[in-house]
Amino acid sequence: MEPMTQPTPAQLHANYVHALQRVAHLGPGGEAERVGPLLCINAGIGVSKFNIAVVVEPVTNPRGALRAAMEWYAIRGLNLRLDLRGTVDGPLLAASMLEGFQFWWREPLMVLHPLPLEPAPVPGLEVRVVTTPEDRSLYCEADREEYSDQDFQLAMATAVSTMDGVTMHLGLVDGAPVARSMAVVHQGVVGIHNVYVAPSRRRQGLGAALTAAAIESGRTAGATAACLEATELGFSVYQKMGFRRIDDYVVVGRDEPPA
């Protein structure tokens, strides 16, 4: 029987930080380094939205900590974004405004505990774990209706496929890729990431099905709770699945928000 102790906000944040550290392995020049109380991540792929700084210990000098992180990125010729918890990192958020950062978006942090039973399958939907190069290519093709950077995505998916504790899931209808998700397991919690459904296939239960697939991978790996950072599009879907909002990540940056 699953333990009934719900993970703390600190445990959920640790899961998020663990997932972000994987970003540092996406490109050949990727790196992650502690700079004071912040973890600074350079994905090494030349895309600002993947160069993320996040708090990993209490901040006693918010402006000094922020300036040290900004210098770390400036030396590398990079812009950065900050992912800050709304209930904890307020002083650092205020310091970022003084340094010219702008609000980009807000992502609700949601938790699911205990994990539910595996839901009934969606008729006509095949869900598979990504294990082969062919699967990885299809995983990246799922968003072709909206985007055209599949070669770039494939390089990242190939890097992710070698990481411990990470599982990718692919949803197909009539053999065509239409949905995907990713699970990252750390210290008994499965983080759900990269949930996507093609626009022509939305409102058919596919997002919930791919989220459930990631949860099940986490359960198999020993996780007893799930967490995710919700988009506006997915928030109501996760609520219906039983996820509860417990905080928000406030994302800020110094350049224009990425498209």
Side-chain angles (χ1 to χ4, degrees):
M1 180 178 295
E2 287 187 344
M4 293 304 293
T5 302
Q6 180 171 299
T8 65
Q11 287 176 294
L12 299 179
H13 182 62
N15 183 280
Y16 186 54
V17 171
H18 177 76
L20 288 180
Q21 286 178 307
R22 297 300 187 257
V23 173
H25 300 281
L26 294 181
E31 56 184 325
E33 184 177 345
R34 281 284 299 275
V35 179
L38 302 180
L39 176 70
C40 295
I41 298 167
N42 165 23
I45 55 180
V47 180
S48 293
K49 69 179 179 180
F50 292 113
N51 299 327
I52 303 167
V54 64
V55 175
V56 291
E57 68 177 43
V59 179
T60 57
N61 179 3
R63 203 159 186 186
L66 179 56
R67 286 182 170 177
M70 291 167 61
E71 181 180 3
W72 188 89
Y73 284 100
I75 290 171
R76 292 157 176 79
L78 300 172
N79 292 315
L80 74 150
R81 85 182 214 200
L82 290 163
D83 288 11
L84 303 175
R85 293 162 291 177
T87 60
V88 179
D89 300 325
L92 192 58
L93 179 60
S96 74
M97 298 296 105
L98 294 175
E99 294 293 341
F101 284 74
Q102 300 177 20
F103 174 81
W104 279 4
W105 64 78
R106 183 184 299 271
E107 295 181 346
L109 172 61
M110 306 185 78
V111 64
L112 179 65
H113 181 273
L115 298 182
L117 298 175
E118 187 175 359
V122 175
L125 175 67
E126 176 193 354
V127 179
R128 70 170 70 150
V129 176
V130 172
T131 58
T132 68
E134 292 76 18
D135 287 345
R136 288 197 292 274
S137 181
L138 289 171
Y139 182 90
C140 298
E141 291 288 329
D143 66 3
R144 187 172 282 280
E145 285 186 19
E146 288 191 284
Y147 306 107
S148 59
D149 61 347
Q150 281 70 41
D151 290 342
F152 172 72
Q153 289 189 54
L154 184 58
M156 293 194 295
T158 300
V160 168
S161 69
T162 66
M163 299 177 188
D164 292 337
V166 180
T167 309
M168 292 180 284
H169 307 86
L170 173 64
L172 304 107
V173 174
D174 296 328
V178 296
R180 67 188 179 206
S181 66
M182 182 185 297
V184 180
V185 178
H186 180 63
Q187 296 182 353
V189 178
V190 54
I192 314 299
H193 303 276
N194 203 25
V195 178
Y196 179 85
V197 178
S200 63
R201 294 289 182 173
R202 289 173 184 166
R203 301 187 182 279
Q204 299 173 23
L206 276 61
L210 270 294
T211 300
I215 291 171
E216 195 58 29
S217 285
R219 189 205 307 275
T220 300
T224 58
C227 66
L228 54 81
E229 295 75 50
T231 63
E232 182 178 352
L233 189 64
F235 184 77
S236 63
V237 174
Y238 303 132
Q239 276 191 318
K240 291 176 183 177
M241 294 182 71
F243 282 88
R244 295 186 303 104
R245 181 182 198 160
I246 64 167
D247 204 343
D248 292 274
Y249 280 102
V250 181
V251 180
V252 299
R254 298 189 76 201
D255 54 1
E256 291 297 316

